[in-house]
Amino acid sequence: MTLRSRLAVLIALVLLVSAGVVVRANAPAVAGGERYSATIRRTEYGIPHIAAKDYGGLGFGYGYAFAQDNLCVLASWLVTLRGERSRHFGATAMSDDPIRPVTNFASDVYYRSVADSGVVRRLLARPAPVGPSDELRRMVDGYAAGYNRYLTDTGVANLPDPTCRGKAWAAPITATDIWNNLLDLNRMVGSSQLKDAITGAGAPEAEGPVERPAAGSNGWALGRQVTRDGHGMLLADPHFPWNGSRRFYQVQLTIPGVLDVSGGSLYGTPVVQIGHNASVAWTHTVSHAQRFTLYRLKLAGDRSSYMVDGRAEPIGRQEVEVPLQDGTVAGHTLYTSRYGPVLAVGRTDEVAYALADANAANLRAADEWLAMAKASDLTGLRTAQATHQGMPFVHTLATDTGGAAYFADASVVPHISDAKARRCAKPSPVPGLEAYVLDGSTSACLWGKDRDAVVPGIFGPGNQPELTRADYVTNSNNTAWMTNPSAPLTGYQGVWGKDRTELEPRPRVSLDMIAQRLSGADGLGAPGFTLETLQATALAKRNHTFELMRSDLLKLCRTHPTPTASDGTRVNVREACGILGKWDGRATLDGQGAILWREFFTRLRRPSKPGDPEFSPWRVPFDPAHPLTTPRGLKHDSPAVRQALADAVRFFQANRISLTLTPGRSQHYSSIPLPGCTEGEGCFDRVRMRGPLGTDGRYPEVDTGSSFMMAVELSPDGPRSRTILTYSLSADPTSAHHTDQTVLFSRGQWVTGRFTEAEIAADPQLRTTTVRG
């Protein structure tokens, strides 16, 4: 930023402070003796642009603005992180974890054990980069103070959101609450999603298979060779939950001359996770790399200790007390080891299993995002990642004004070589936890060390998959090897995810979308990306499995017009075949055939009978020598395929559902019709519903999918961006911004980004508030 532009920003802030609405605290909300001041400017759709002279003020303004829109969601989540859900909502009710809920009692046992372990307190006592930086500490303190300022100003009894209005649990928060939230985010695909297995606290699922959360997100970084004007461009499309604490909040954060970043920030976090500044843009996709290992413990004779290198080590005990609704307290005992918590599952008289989570003591991610936001180019972004090494479970894709495209799995991964994994392998305690169960009876199976790793036991930057190109890098939750088909990333340890493996349909359609845009075969004009063609490509709603199977499906229709359903009924599928033959393969609101295809395709993959493996409908199997074109085709001569088609059509007929049922009539969020199709079908900007199509022709409400979409072009004159927050800014059903962007998303529209002072000031809907404390 030039001196002139810095002065312009400063002058604008002074003018806004003098002209805007001022909210003052009755008493100072201080951290380290520092008073807070921030300006909150809201542009169309309520998007906040927060500016302050320092980090504490910036956090204060952010916490205040966020509380205005989403206090109830965060208040509920902080009850969870404190282990107080049983007290407020009952022990047997399900928790508000948006990824994998458990009973409130199991949740409370887990989170109280985390708090009692002192891990956050120990990390806060460490200097950066293992502990938080001074800047981040001030932001967190300010964020909590800003949230509390809004709560005090408004009053619990007057909160606009009826979800928590007048509720005792809508209470002031502390900086520790925010640190706990940051730690839990980093543990999201590790120990935080294994609460049942860790606690065994009244959770009937604990003895059954452990389900890992489904990965989601698309990311493209486009370099100068593939963009029409030679600028770096980026597409962000994270697929996160549409409800609860893992939603994104759209925000711009500015300290004149120090920080200016715009993007998406997960609830309760004071930093931008996916976004851009004036010269760098980045996004993330969930990585396949392993985040934890299990260690199989050989129990000693008294079963109160375990053996390591021939010596007995005592199993630790942790007594947890959970307050209940009736005012009593329930106790629960957990067990610990040198590796981490001892699981409640898989234990016998001879063995037990302990969980070693590489993110168990990771608070570094927030500082890494803050440092990335201040980077002026990709070199600075790489330096930020190498310094903090805190990305918990995601790939990074980025570009800059120079037009380079960068990919790295710079995430936290336990240092396990393939040789060690083979040498130390032990059986799994339960289905779902088969990967990387190691022998805990010998220190030879401990995680290794890299000299460039910021903490022991993880891979350092020198051993991480990384690629920089002038054309593009991309990821849709596939392993790193097909980041760019012209330069496969191979030869890395298997803990990062296997190479030469089959691409799922969504990564395949992603690569095909780029290829068609670069050849001009997609009907969007001359080859190469512009911001406009990037937007159009991202929302094309292509169903790739239909594209790959369509010709064989029509063969089936011609040769078997009356296949037999699973109940023995002969079904006339001619009308259904006619509808599918006319469908263009796009899951638009009015796509007649989109839901019929989904119901057929879903039945295709089901096992023939319980216990059988999943059926593969592909006519041409996967060939690692041809990863972009295999598998393909449909086994149109297979009785299982014919039966799946008959069963799908029979379901529609039996329930008097039109075979032309469209996404617009069957998919919704807050009563708003939504386009899109599902992960398994090979849809780029996917949607997911928790449940099957009902007999009324409607699915349960969409709860996961494209969330904060951002297309940005980094030109020398400044960034141009388009965004859409699919579920809108506020979870408060009374807010004007509860579904306003959802309506845009339904129509395939975007919001024009406002980043510069001139763009913000030009918004006719601009509202300005100054908050102080």
Side-chain angles (χ1 to χ4, degrees):
M1 183 179 287
T2 65
L3 178 60
R4 177 177 295 179
S5 60
R6 290 178 184 175
L7 288 172
V9 171
L10 191 57
I11 291 169
L13 286 175
V14 171
L15 291 173
L16 287 166
V17 167
S18 62
V21 177
V22 178
V23 178
R24 297 179 185 273
N26 296 323
V30 299
E34 178 183 54
R35 292 183 63 89
Y36 299 117
S37 177
T39 300
I40 303 169
R41 291 173 290 172
R42 290 187 183 264
T43 53
E44 62 263 78
Y45 304 101
I47 299 169
H49 306 258
I50 300 162
K53 65 182 180 181
D54 53 37
Y55 287 98
L58 191 64
F60 183 82
Y62 192 3
Y64 194 99
F66 180 84
Q68 288 178 306
D69 295 313
N70 295 294
L71 184 141
C72 289
V73 176
L74 186 56
S76 175
W77 182 241
L78 295 182
V79 169
T80 301
L81 295 177
R82 295 179 193 133
E84 297 178 350
R85 293 203 68 81
S86 297
R87 172 188 169 192
H88 292 285
F89 306 112
T92 59
M94 298 304 286
S95 71
D96 62 345
D97 188 323
I99 306 293
R100 190 168 186 263
V102 296
T103 65
N104 282 337
F105 185 72
S107 177
D108 289 344
V109 168
Y110 171 78
Y111 283 113
R112 285 188 167 255
S113 74
V114 174
D116 292 349
S117 73
V119 59
V120 169
R121 182 182 66 252
R122 291 192 299 273
L123 288 170
L124 293 178
R126 299 283 302 274
V130 176
S133 67
D134 290 341
E135 293 85 354
L136 181 62
R137 292 172 194 263
R138 292 197 291 270
M139 286 189 78
V140 168
D141 288 344
Y143 190 97
Y147 176 103
N148 291 340
R149 182 74 266 142
Y150 171 77
L151 187 60
T152 300
D153 290 343
T154 308
V156 175
N158 301 314
L159 290 171
D161 189 343
T163 308
C164 64
R165 184 190 303 141
K167 303 295 185 183
W169 50 268
I173 67 173
T174 68
T176 299
D177 289 320
I178 304 303
W179 292 119
N180 285 335
N181 184 45
L182 291 169
L183 177 68
D184 191 67
L185 170 62
N186 294 344
R187 291 180 167 198
M188 192 175 84
V189 299
S191 52
S192 184
Q193 288 309 303
L194 296 171
K195 300 183 189 76
D196 285 346
I198 291 170
T199 67
E205 293 182 293
E207 296 300 328
V210 175
E211 297 179 3
R212 302 285 296 279
S217 304
N218 304 304
W220 294 355
L222 306 174
R224 55 186 174 272
Q225 290 181 352
V226 301
T227 60
R228 196 81 61 77
D229 295 327
H231 303 150
M233 299 177 68
L234 183 109
L235 175 68
D237 180 22
H239 297 171
F240 264 53
W242 282 33
N243 298 287
S245 61
R246 297 305 181 213
R247 289 184 15 147
F248 281 96
Y249 185 76
Q250 189 171 356
V251 68
Q252 182 175 2
L253 302 175
T254 303
I255 300 175
V258 176
L259 174 71
D260 197 5
V261 60
S262 182
S265 175
L266 290 169
Y267 279 22
T269 65
V271 295
V272 168
Q273 277 96 15
I274 290 175
H276 70 88
N277 57 31
S279 54
V280 177
W282 73 92
T283 188
H284 300 293
T285 62
V286 175
S287 160
H288 279 261
Q290 190 71 14
R291 306 299 159 191
F292 60 86
T293 64
L294 298 186
Y295 278 97
R296 188 174 190 261
L297 308 180
K298 181 180 179 181
L299 299 179
D302 59 0
R303 295 189 292 282
S304 64
S305 58
Y306 59 98
M307 306 300 295
V308 180
D309 296 334
R311 294 185 176 184
E313 293 189 6
I315 294 176
R317 290 173 62 93
Q318 186 182 24
E319 304 295 339
V320 177
E321 294 187 335
V322 175
L324 304 177
Q325 268 185 317
D326 61 4
T328 63
V329 173
H332 193 83
T333 303
L334 300 178
Y335 299 93
T336 62
S337 70
R338 64 151 65 185
Y339 305 107
V342 177
L343 301 186
V345 298
R347 185 162 181 166
T348 69
D349 289 342
E350 290 79 31
V351 300
Y353 292 83
L355 173 69
D357 186 347
N359 285 301
N362 177 14
L363 278 182
R364 304 183 302 278
D367 261 315
E368 187 167 334
W369 278 309
L370 186 59
M372 290 165 62
K374 293 187 284 186
S376 59
D377 53 27
L378 286 182
T379 299
L381 184 139
R382 289 192 192 97
T383 299
Q385 295 203 307
T387 299
H388 298 282
Q389 299 175 30
M391 285 296 103
F393 51 82
V394 290
H395 303 122
T396 300
L397 299 95
T399 188
D400 61 12
T401 51
Y406 165 77
F407 167 89
D409 193 340
S411 60
V412 177
V413 175
H415 194 299
I416 310 162
S417 67
D418 292 346
K420 181 173 290 187
R422 290 190 296 269
R423 184 178 70 249
C424 296
K426 292 295 179 180
S428 170
V430 291
L433 291 177
E434 290 86 359
Y436 295 94
V437 182
L438 307 179
D439 186 354
S441 68
T442 171
S443 56
C445 293
L446 292 173
W447 296 349
K449 297 179 181 179
D450 273 352
R451 296 183 64 181
D452 60 345
V454 72
V455 294
I458 65 172
F459 282 105
N463 279 319
Q464 296 169 341
E466 181 179 324
L467 183 64
T468 301
R469 303 272 301 177
D471 52 0
Y472 69 88
V473 293
T474 180
N475 187 266
S476 292
N477 307 118
N478 45 306
T479 57
W481 82 289
M482 278 285 104
T483 295
N484 184 303
S486 298
L489 288 170
T490 60
Y492 293 91
Q493 301 296 323
V495 69
W496 293 99
K498 296 180 180 179
D499 55 36
R500 298 182 178 86
T501 54
E502 179 181 335
L503 293 178
E504 294 293 323
R506 180 163 59 88
R508 283 181 64 185
V509 78
S510 174
L511 289 165
D512 190 64
M513 289 159 63
I514 293 175
Q516 288 202 22
R517 179 80 297 269
L518 298 187
S519 68
D522 57 5
L524 296 176
F529 282 96
T530 63
L531 187 58
E532 292 69 28
T533 59
L534 179 58
Q535 293 172 248
T537 303
L539 294 182
K541 308 297 179 190
R542 288 174 54 186
N543 186 311
H544 202 42
T545 54
F546 179 74
E547 294 172 344
L548 294 171
M549 294 180 171
R550 183 180 187 276
S551 62
D552 285 330
L553 172 67
L554 297 182
K555 290 179 183 177
L556 183 155
C557 289
R558 289 192 297 270
T559 55
H560 299 282
T562 56
T564 302
S566 54
D567 64 359
T569 304
R570 301 279 288 185
V571 180
N572 188 330
V573 299
R574 290 182 178 88
E575 182 185 359
C577 288
I579 292 167
L580 291 171
K582 293 176 183 178
W583 180 43
D584 65 1
R586 296 178 186 266
T588 54
L589 283 177
D590 59 355
Q592 296 186 5
I595 304 305
L596 177 59
W597 171 261
R598 180 184 306 165
E599 292 303 303
F600 165 54
F601 185 78
T602 301
R603 287 167 173 78
L604 268 182
R605 304 179 68 88
R606 292 175 182 169
S608 300
K609 55 185 177 181
D612 285 357
E614 186 177 275
F615 174 72
S616 174
W618 299 106
R619 177 172 52 81
V620 179
F622 171 68
D623 180 353
H626 301 283
L628 303 183
T629 56
T630 62
R632 66 177 182 272
L634 176 67
K635 293 177 179 175
H636 57 87
D637 289 331
S638 168
V641 172
R642 298 196 296 271
Q643 178 178 295
L645 180 59
D647 285 345
V649 173
R650 183 160 172 75
F651 175 83
F652 280 78
Q653 293 173 343
N655 293 290
R656 298 186 178 181
I657 300 171
S658 172
L659 292 167
T660 60
L661 182 67
T662 63
R665 301 208 312 269
S666 61
Q667 299 174 172
H668 64 284
Y669 179 79
S670 291
S671 300
I672 297 169
L674 293 177
C677 43
T678 62
E679 171 83 11
E681 295 172 89
C683 294
F684 185 72
D685 52 329
R686 65 167 184 154
V687 294
R688 187 187 74 176
M689 295 70 66
R690 287 190 184 271
L693 183 66
T695 56
D696 60 351
R698 289 170 67 84
Y699 293 100
E701 191 170 80
V702 169
D703 75 335
T704 304
S706 295
S707 48
F708 173 65
M709 299 186 72
M710 179 181 73
V712 60
E713 178 181 19
L714 298 171
S715 76
D717 297 326
R720 297 175 59 225
S721 68
R722 304 290 184 268
T723 63
I724 189 70
L725 190 62
T726 57
Y727 34 68
S728 304
L729 194 72
S730 176
D732 175 3
T734 70
S735 170
H737 306 300
H738 180 57
T739 57
D740 51 355
Q741 290 197 58
T742 312
V743 172
L744 293 183
F745 178 65
S746 174
R747 299 170 179 168
Q749 297 173 325
W750 299 70
V751 177
T752 299
R754 296 182 183 273
F755 183 78
T756 67
E757 288 298 312
E759 290 168 340
I760 296 169
D763 181 9
Q765 301 181 37
L766 183 65
R767 294 174 291 135
T768 301
T769 304
T770 298
V771 290
R772 294 185 180 134

